[in-house]
Amino acid sequence: MFRRILIANRGEIALRIIRAARELGVESVAVYSTADANAPYLEMADEAVCIGPPPSAKSYLDISRIISAAEVTDAEAIHPGYGFLSENAHFAEVCETCGIQFIGPPTSVIQSCGDKATAKKTARAAGVPVVPGSEGIVDSVEDAAVIAKEIGYPVIVKASAGGGGKGMRVASNEPSLRNAFSQARAEAAVSFANDEVYLEKYIENPRHIEIQILAGADGQTVHLGERDCSVQRRHQKLLEEAPSPALDPELRRKIGDAAVAYCEASGYRNAGTVEFLLDKHGDFYFMELNARIQVEHPVTECVTGIDLVQWQIKIAAGQNLDFTQDDVKIKGHAMEFRINAENPERGFCPTPGKIDHLVLPGGRGVRMDTHITAGYTIPQHYDSMIAKLIVHGKDRPEAFRIAKRALQELQIKGRGLANTSQLQRAILDNADFASGNFDTSFLEKFLHDHHA
Ligand code: MV4
């Protein structure tokens, strides 16, 4: 096991990793920008190193500053958390070159999973269902028009280097495809320095179902069930739950097996998430693999009792899983609410500032993953997510009851501050959401009706 690891991240996930390391008897080094210099969680690490000014490009995204911090503190491994450098193959490679273990999958796997057209080919070859579409990259608008005619409109043009919804365009006829194709290509060139795009049949109003997987150092791979992440706005998730109200045991086993098959085919190691779309006929399709720990991982930890962040560290240190697929049992129902310092009444605009008054919920079935404290100032420079409320009950109705009272207990007050908890309480009171009748179009409709 490592003696000491460095955490190349900030906020709640930095604290989550500090805690996992401490429980494993591993020392942690936190890095921080000057905007985070007074953050209380830094005290909980064994050491903290300033790596630069507030802009991420000069601190949390600056590879040379992070590697230097690891070298001066004698850290043997780096945990990248989520966002920032977590899926940057170049960073993983630099770590390797410097003799520092990257806590995540091998560089080559980050690379191949990051290329969506390649990932889709791997999936298809492994017998994993994929959305009908082009066989790889489409080079010209003429080819795109021919393929679209074959598969039928509507179609979606996706950037191969994209993911998470970036660089996508939907088209419902040939003239709009011509626009969509050139727009997607131009956007991909600017955003990813790679203008390769591919084509798929557009699945209308799917559910977003993702499967958590763990692959030990020897490659033994298990899945830990699904998370339903359909409640999102502009690809930003607002809440997640496990198990999904849309799956029965048979479909759960099929999607889980498909996720494991993809990971085995791609040589995956460590924790990962395989994203699928589920259509209204109950057919599911591979979308992409997220080669990192995700924000919503605690939902899976609650229903499986497995510490995913500890396993990430153990696997990176060369350990194999000490359990098999048969040992994984899903117990009860968990939900996560992302508490963002944003105002839903004003287009979700961020509300940074000082927290003057703070009451965090607790009690049975409640887990709060957060770095905030009374007196803490939410910096303007980073993501607005400041806390995650995770609830765990014996079934979905009990999880709802715990969630409603915990969201009611939560108080985050300060000049100009707003947060998403009221909106989440309103969603819990929505009949369609409560009955499990929702898909990725739910939140947009809900916000529309709610404001009317
Ligand atoms: C799609 C799709 C419909 N048809 N692909 C968005 C994120 C990326 N991982 C995949 N995405 C989508 N791909 C086909 N062929 C619809 C989406 C999509 C979506 C997916 C999951 C959750 C929310 C979404 C919101 C809009 C579009």
Side-chain angles (χ1 to χ4, degrees), residues 116 120 131-132 154-158 162-166 168 170 198-209 229-237 275-277 285-288 290 439-441:
K116 309 303 168 197
K120 196 175 171 183
V131 186
V155 298
I156 183 165
V157 186
K158 295 184 173 183
K166 273 178 278 170
M168 306 193 330
V170 179
Y198 62 103
L199 209 66
E200 279 181 352
K201 175 90 183 166
Y202 181 64
I203 312 289
E204 279 171 271
N205 302 340
R207 289 180 88 117
H208 173 136
I209 304 291
C229 308
S230 300
V231 179
Q232 36 179 298
R233 176 184 169 272
R234 300 188 185 171
H235 307 294
Q236 294 296 314
K237 296 164 188 163
E275 233 183 85
F276 293 91
L277 295 187
Y285 307 96
F286 170 86
M287 282 288 113
E288 55 194 67
N290 298 318
D439 58 42
T440 50
S441 67

Side-chain angles (χ1 to χ4, degrees), residues 386-401:
I386 51 170
K388 304 185 304 202
L389 163 65
I390 305 104
V391 299
H392 186 205
K394 68 178 191 302
D395 52 20
R396 196 165 185 262
E398 190 182 61
F400 266 56
R401 291 193 294 271

Side-chain angles (χ1 to χ4, degrees), residues 12-68:
E12 74 84 20
I13 194 64
L15 178 53
R16 172 74 187 85
I17 301 162
I18 291 169
R19 287 171 167 159
R22 178 71 45 86
E23 289 178 20
L24 287 171
V26 173
E27 290 182 4
S28 55
V29 178
V31 297
Y32 62 94
S33 75
T34 53
D36 285 326
N38 298 317
Y41 68 87
L42 298 174
E43 298 289 330
M44 297 196 219
D46 292 279
E47 207 172 316
V49 181
C50 183
I51 51 165
S56 302
K58 293 185 169 174
S59 49
Y60 300 107
L61 286 172
D62 187 322
I63 294 176
S64 59
R65 289 173 194 249
I66 287 165
I67 297 287
S68 300

Side-chain angles (χ1 to χ4, degrees), residues 262-383:
Y262 174 76
C263 289
E264 289 179 342
S266 64
Y268 203 81
R269 296 292 184 274
N270 216 296
T273 297
V274 190
E275 233 183 85
F276 293 91
L277 295 187
L278 177 68
D279 71 15
K280 56 177 174 286
H281 312 294
D283 289 320
F284 64 90
Y285 307 96
F286 170 86
M287 282 288 113
E288 55 194 67
L289 184 140
N290 298 318
R292 61 171 188 275
I293 193 73
Q294 287 191 267
V295 171
E296 58 271 28
H297 76 275
V299 163
T300 300
E301 295 187 324
C302 284
V303 296
T304 61
I306 291 170
D307 188 313
L308 289 165
V309 179
Q310 285 191 24
W311 272 111
Q312 286 192 291
I313 299 168
K314 291 194 282 191
I315 294 165
Q319 295 188 23
N320 300 329
L321 303 182
D322 63 2
F323 60 93
T324 66
Q325 190 64 61
D326 286 343
D327 297 322
V328 178
K329 297 275 186 289
I330 305 298
K331 186 167 170 266
H333 197 95
M335 306 182 82
E336 175 182 271
F337 300 85
R338 297 190 186 196
I339 310 300
N340 299 334
E342 319 180 319
N343 191 343
E345 317 258 277
R346 294 193 183 160
F348 292 83
C349 83
T351 61
K354 186 168 178 230
I355 299 172
D356 294 317
H357 172 84
L358 179 69
V359 178
L360 294 177
R364 184 178 160 267
V366 173
R367 166 176 169 179
M368 274 306 283
D369 276 22
T370 185
H371 62 295
I372 66 172
T373 55
Y376 175 76
T377 297
I378 303 159
Q380 62 179 52
H381 310 277
Y382 310 109
D383 191 89

Side-chain angles (χ1 to χ4, degrees), residues 92-154:
E93 191 177 15
V94 173
C95 288
E96 203 175 312
T97 307
C98 296
I100 299 165
Q101 180 67 44
F102 177 77
I103 302 176
T107 303
S108 59
V109 177
I110 302 175
Q111 194 95 256
S112 63
C113 293
D115 184 273
K116 309 303 168 197
T118 303
K120 196 175 171 183
K121 280 185 183 170
T122 306
R124 190 190 288 125
V128 174
V130 297
V131 186
S134 60
E135 301 254 340
I137 306 301
V138 181
D139 295 310
S140 72
V141 90
E142 308 308 327
D143 290 352
V146 171
I147 296 162
K149 205 163 203 168
E150 277 169 25
I151 62 179
Y153 288 94

